[in-house]
Amino acid sequence: MFTILDRYILKRYLITFMGMLLLFVPIGIMANLAEKIGKIIDNEAPLAEVIVFYGNFTLVIGNLLLPIFLFLSIIFFTSKLASNTEIVAILSSGVSFWRFLRPYFVGATLVAILIFMMGMFIVPHASIGFNEFEYKYFKKGKRDRVTENIFNQLNENDYIYVSSFDPNRQIGYNFTYEHFDSIGKLDYKIFASNIRWVEDDSIYRLTNYEKRTILNEREFIDAKRRLDTVFSFKIDDLTPVSYVAETKNLFELNEFIEDQRRKGASNINAYVLVKYKRWALPIAAFILTVIAVAVSSVKRRGGMGLNLAFGIGVAFVYIFFDKVFGTLAEQSGFSPLLAVVIPNLLFGVFAVYMLMKAKR
């Protein structure tokens, strides 16, 4: 049952959090625009695309920073409660410290649900336009995927290879398709000087097509100058963009990871890391809530300024740990699960320590 105290704290919690978003998100947009305005003008990016990009920018960057905004907003309003001796009055009236924390956990739950829904279903769609704009105008000339010597295992029996791939024209060069039977013996092999995806007809067009079929130790050759056909793979399966995992919702990402694991993809850790980070962000909301309350619920000589300085320091350390372990998982064989769990575990222990200290 919600009491007046619960409603009072929860109201302050949510209003301050929303105020923090409305304050810092526009600042983030203006800072990014000031940095990128030269490239936008030089590349003659249309105004409509720029507006859409910054809408996507707000969702993508805002979702990553939601736990940090939550953390700072709790420190801000709880420090005000402490400086006005409201917390002393609440605890002196017989309310236990654990009971005092209840509205904070309710607020953290609401924010965690928001982070979960955004991260799993809303932000992935925004990430498509965000990254496409980045590579089109800000990272012009940089490749968003591997385009040379591409080898891909489609399933247990089929393998494809292209020496190079042009994603803009959707064409691969020196295409090879190999099919093996159930005992690992080559059944047939297809060669083509290039393979092109024809969007209008939803077919693949092979140039200088040649198929070699092995039957009873004999080889049969079928050659054509051009062949229109269908395959079970998509043209983008040849080499997905580097940010592909970020553009998929919860269910699509699970299917994509299983598909890449079945194919034996070498960069599977990067995809799994994206998945685990989405689950870790809502948990981080609770951990940072506990730390923020523990830090700011005690009245200090330095007041709110000292608490905010401490909070910003903790936020930077948290981001640092997250980046370090994330890079280890992407660039080495380090477990993506541990890369996500370790920072939250360390800060979870720190949160418990700070809470026990504040309670005393």
Side-chain angles (χ1 to χ4, degrees), residues 42-149:
D42 292 342
N43 294 311
E44 299 180 348
L47 178 61
E49 289 189 31
V50 174
I51 293 173
V52 171
F53 167 74
Y54 278 105
N56 293 328
F57 173 88
T58 300
L59 292 173
V60 173
I61 303 302
N63 183 68
L64 291 175
L65 296 178
L66 276 178
I68 304 300
F69 290 151
L70 171 69
F71 182 59
L72 296 178
S73 62
I74 293 174
I75 288 180
F76 181 80
F77 88 83
T78 306
S79 294
K80 289 191 69 175
L81 293 179
S83 64
N84 295 334
T85 65
E86 292 180 71
I87 295 178
V88 173
I90 291 170
L91 298 179
S92 299
S93 67
V95 176
S96 69
F97 193 80
W98 300 112
R99 177 63 182 80
F100 169 70
L101 287 175
R102 189 171 80 171
Y104 285 95
F105 281 110
V106 173
T109 301
L110 295 176
V111 175
I113 293 172
L114 173 65
I115 294 173
F116 177 84
M117 296 303 296
M118 286 188 64
M120 295 298 188
F121 301 104
I122 299 174
V123 173
H125 180 72
S127 183
I128 298 173
F130 173 80
N131 283 289
E132 286 179 350
F133 189 93
E134 282 263 320
Y135 278 95
K136 184 177 180 180
Y137 296 109
F138 298 157
K139 299 179 180 179
K140 208 168 184 178
K142 293 184 178 180
R143 295 184 301 180
D144 60 355
R145 67 183 88 197
V146 176
T147 58
E148 296 179 355
N149 296 320

Side-chain angles (χ1 to χ4, degrees), residues 197-221:
W197 171 248
V198 182
E199 183 71 34
D200 295 339
D201 300 324
S202 298
I203 60 167
Y204 289 96
R205 179 161 294 162
L206 304 179
T207 304
N208 297 325
Y209 162 86
E210 182 181 288
K211 180 178 180 180
R212 296 187 177 185
T213 305
I214 301 174
L215 183 62
N216 297 326
E217 305 301 328
R218 297 182 63 186
E219 186 176 286
F220 299 88
I221 299 177

Side-chain angles (χ1 to χ4, degrees), residues 174-191:
N174 299 319
F175 171 73
T176 302
Y177 185 106
E178 296 179 332
H179 176 76
F180 295 84
D181 61 21
S182 58
I183 61 173
K185 186 178 179 181
L186 182 64
D187 235 352
Y188 63 82
K189 191 171 186 177
I190 295 174
F191 301 91

Side-chain angles (χ1 to χ4, degrees), residues 158-263:
D158 299 296
Y159 300 82
I160 57 176
Y161 169 83
V162 291
S163 62
S164 63
F165 176 67
D166 185 342
N168 296 321
R169 299 171 61 198
Q170 294 197 311
I171 182 171
Y173 297 93
N174 299 319
F175 171 73
T176 302
Y177 185 106
E178 296 179 332
H179 176 76
F180 295 84
D181 61 21
S182 58
I183 61 173
K185 186 178 179 181
L186 182 64
D187 235 352
Y188 63 82
K189 191 171 186 177
I190 295 174
F191 301 91
S193 58
N194 63 63
I195 177 173
R196 181 192 297 272
W197 171 248
V198 182
E199 183 71 34
D200 295 339
D201 300 324
S202 298
I203 60 167
Y204 289 96
R205 179 161 294 162
L206 304 179
T207 304
N208 297 325
Y209 162 86
E210 182 181 288
K211 180 178 180 180
R212 296 187 177 185
T213 305
I214 301 174
L215 183 62
N216 297 326
E217 305 301 328
R218 297 182 63 186
E219 186 176 286
F220 299 88
I221 299 177
D222 177 28
K224 290 182 174 65
R225 185 175 180 277
R226 193 184 81 177
L227 176 70
D228 292 342
T229 187
V230 294
F231 287 112
S232 59
F233 63 87
K234 298 177 182 178
I235 191 69
D236 284 337
D237 286 345
L238 290 175
T239 172
V241 292
S242 57
Y243 53 83
V244 62
E246 301 170 19
T247 65
K248 297 186 179 296
N249 64 37
L250 172 62
F251 307 112
E252 293 170 342
L253 182 58
N254 286 335
E255 292 178 4
F256 176 75
I257 289 173
E258 287 305 313
D259 183 55
Q260 293 299 306
R261 184 174 280 121
R262 176 172 51 81
K263 293 177 180 178

Side-chain angles (χ1 to χ4, degrees), residues 336-357:
L337 180 60
L338 289 179
V340 171
V341 168
I342 290 176
N344 280 333
L345 183 61
L346 291 175
F347 277 82
V349 172
F350 179 66
V352 172
Y353 167 75
M354 293 296 295
L355 190 61
M356 292 297 102
K357 187 176 179 182

